[in-house]
Amino acid sequence: MVLKERNFTEQDCHLYIISLVSKMPNLFCQMVKKMILILLTVIIITYCIHPGRFAHYYTFIKEEDMVHELEESPLAQKLSETSGLPLCPWHILNESSYSLLYPKKNVTQCDLNELSVKLDIKLGGTWKPSNCVSRFDVAIVVPYRNRQTQLEIFLLYMHSFLQKQMINYRILIIEQVEKKDFNRAKLLNIGYIEALKLFPYHCFIFHDVDLIPQKQNNIYACTHQPRHMSSSLNTFRYNLPYRGLFGGAVAILKSQFELVNGFSNMFFGWGGEDDDFQSRINHKGLSICRFSPRVSRYVMLTHSKELPSETRFSNLLAGKNRYDVDGINTLVYTVRNSTFKPLYTWILVDI
Ligand code: NGS
C-alpha cells in the first residue's frame, strides 16, 4: 500500500513537472505580451500629457558656421570708419563651453537699482559698447501683462547677457491694458513700429518674458534667415515638440518682417499666432533656421499655463488668406503711456 502510494506520488510529480515545462513558453509569451502592453500604455500617456514628448530632429547651423550666418548692421562699417573705433570682436561665438547659465530668482529692488549704474544702461534700457562699434543693432521686443516677478528676473539677467555679446540693443516692454484677451502677436507688431521710431534697428528679437537663454554664445543677432532661438527648452526636455514651432524667442531682419507683413493682429488669447507667423515666413519663400540644440538652450520661468484660445485653429486656417491684409499694414492701437524706464522702454497700449 505504502509502495503503491509512493509510486503514485512520484508519477504525479513527474507529470506535474512535465506539464509545467510544457506551459513555460506559453507563460513567457503572456508575460512579454503584458509587458509590451504596459510599455505602450505608458508611452501613449506620456505622449498625450507631456508637451515635450519626443525629439523632432532638425537641421541646424553648426557652431563653427554661426559666424558666417550672421547679418551685420548696415550702419556698423560706416560708423566704425567715421568714429575711428574698430568693429567689436567675435570672441563670444567661440565661448562654446558646456557650462549653462541660470538666472537669479530672488531679485531685489536693490539689484535692479544698482544695475543701471553698474552696467551703464541708458534710460529706456538701451546700451552699446563704448570701445568698439557693435556689429548688431537689435530691438528686443517683449509682449507683457501681469508678470512682474518674471520681468524683474528677465531684466537682471538679460542686460548683462547682452552686454557680454557686445550688442547695441534696447529692451522694449509692450504692455497690453486689461480689457481684452492677451494678443501677443499684436503687441509684437506694436513693438516693431515703436522701436523704429527710436532707432533704425535692422534686427528684431521677439521674446517672451519667461524665457532665459543659457548659453552665452547664443548670439542675440539676426541670421540670414529668420531664426527660432529657443529650440532647446527645459520644459520640452530640451527637445523640439514639432518642426514648425516658431514661438518663444525668434530673430528676424527688419526687411523680412516687412516682407511678411509682421504678425497677424487677429489672435486673441493663447496659441496659434506663432504658427501663423511661421506660415507667413514660408509663404514668402523664406525658411526658418536654428542654432544647434547645445547653443539654443533656454529655461522657462515657472508660471501657470494659460488657457488655450478656442478660436486658434479656425484663425490659423483663415489666416492663410490674410497675410497681405492683416499685419503691420493694418495695425491700429492707442499708446496710453510711453516711458523711458531705467531698464526698459515701457509702452502701455490699448489694442
Ligand atoms: C502649439 C501652439 C503654439 C505654441 C506651442 C508651444 O500647440 O502657439 O504649442 O506652446 N499652437 C496652437 O495652439 C495652434 S508652449 O508649450 O511653449 O506654451 O507656441
Side-chain angles (χ1 to χ4, degrees), residues 6 14 36 85 159 198 202 212 238 251 312 319 331 346 349:
R6 232 189 91 212
H14 282 148
I36 291 177
L85 286 173
H159 277 290
L198 302 169
H202 79 120
I212 301 291
Y238 297 104
R312 67 196 193 285
L331 185 62
W346 178 54
V349 286

Side-chain angles (χ1 to χ4, degrees), residues 32-303:
V32 170
K33 269 188 198 162
K34 264 192 191 154
M35 274 168 62
I36 291 177
L37 208 71
I38 292 172
L39 200 72
L40 273 177
T41 318
V42 169
I43 290 174
I44 289 169
I45 291 175
T46 316
Y47 191 86
C48 290
I49 63 173
H50 196 285
R53 303 189 278 244
F54 305 104
H56 276 83
Y57 295 101
Y58 53 92
T59 49
F60 53 80
I61 297 162
K62 291 196 203 113
E63 281 172 67
E64 60 270 28
D65 294 333
M66 290 192 309
V67 65
H68 309 298
E69 291 295 322
L70 296 172
E71 280 278 345
E72 294 188 31
S73 164
L75 303 177
Q77 192 66 47
K78 199 140 199 216
L79 201 63
S80 164
E81 281 159 22
T82 51
S83 66
L85 286 173
L87 287 171
C88 295
W90 292 106
H91 67 81
I92 205 72
L93 290 175
N94 302 327
E95 205 161 296
S96 61
S97 75
Y98 281 94
S99 67
L100 289 174
L101 308 170
Y102 287 90
K104 182 177 187 250
K105 294 273 179 70
N106 51 342
V107 177
T108 62
Q109 208 46 56
C110 187
D111 290 331
L112 296 172
N113 292 344
E114 280 175 2
L115 197 66
S116 23
V117 181
K118 211 164 79 185
L119 297 186
D120 192 28
I121 301 161
K122 300 282 175 290
L123 219 55
T126 163
W127 180 88
K128 61 180 183 197
S130 54
N131 52 1
C132 58
V133 173
S134 175
R135 294 171 187 268
F136 312 108
D137 303 322
V138 185
I140 319 270
V141 181
V142 181
Y144 178 83
R145 187 157 83 180
N146 287 340
R147 294 270 179 93
Q148 183 64 29
T149 313
Q150 291 184 0
L151 179 60
E152 288 171 1
I153 297 171
F154 179 82
L155 291 169
L156 185 68
Y157 183 88
M158 287 308 290
H159 277 290
S160 45
F161 180 87
L162 293 165
Q163 291 195 9
K164 287 194 187 100
Q165 299 188 337
M166 289 190 276
I167 285 165
N168 173 19
Y169 69 86
R170 173 186 296 269
I171 296 181
L172 295 106
I173 305 293
I174 316 298
E175 180 170 355
Q176 183 182 332
V177 293
E178 293 291 346
K179 277 193 205 170
K180 294 185 184 160
D181 283 341
F182 194 62
N183 189 330
R184 176 178 181 271
K186 192 163 179 183
L187 295 179
L188 295 175
N189 279 343
I190 295 171
Y192 171 82
I193 299 290
E194 293 295 321
L196 285 176
K197 290 180 185 168
L198 302 169
F199 188 85
Y201 292 103
H202 79 120
C203 168
F204 287 78
I205 292 186
F206 299 113
H207 208 296
D208 287 347
V209 73
D210 56 359
L211 289 184
I212 301 291
Q214 293 191 274
K215 290 301 293 274
Q216 191 62 71
N217 61 345
N218 186 4
I219 192 149
Y220 270 50
C222 282
T223 29
H224 302 321
Q225 291 294 327
R227 185 163 98 257
H228 182 219
M229 301 174 76
S230 52
S231 52
S232 186
L233 184 57
N234 67 336
T235 49
F236 293 142
R237 288 193 231 113
Y238 297 104
N239 293 329
L240 189 68
Y242 59 101
R243 270 193 205 102
L245 180 63
F246 200 60
V250 302
I252 185 165
L253 287 167
K254 174 183 180 283
S255 53
Q256 294 166 341
F257 196 71
E258 292 277 337
L259 179 72
V260 303
N261 195 18
F263 287 85
S264 160
N265 298 306
M266 314 289 250
F267 284 80
F268 285 87
W270 184 92
E273 81 296 338
D274 47 352
D275 301 319
D276 181 85
F277 189 48
Q278 194 263 349
S279 304
R280 285 171 177 241
I281 286 169
N282 284 344
H283 181 73
K284 289 290 178 189
L286 301 169
S287 54
I288 64 170
C289 70
R290 297 185 171 97
F291 283 164
S292 95
R294 219 168 77 91
V295 176
S296 321
R297 282 178 78 110
Y298 280 73
V299 278
M300 186 184 271
L301 303 172
T302 47
H303 57 85

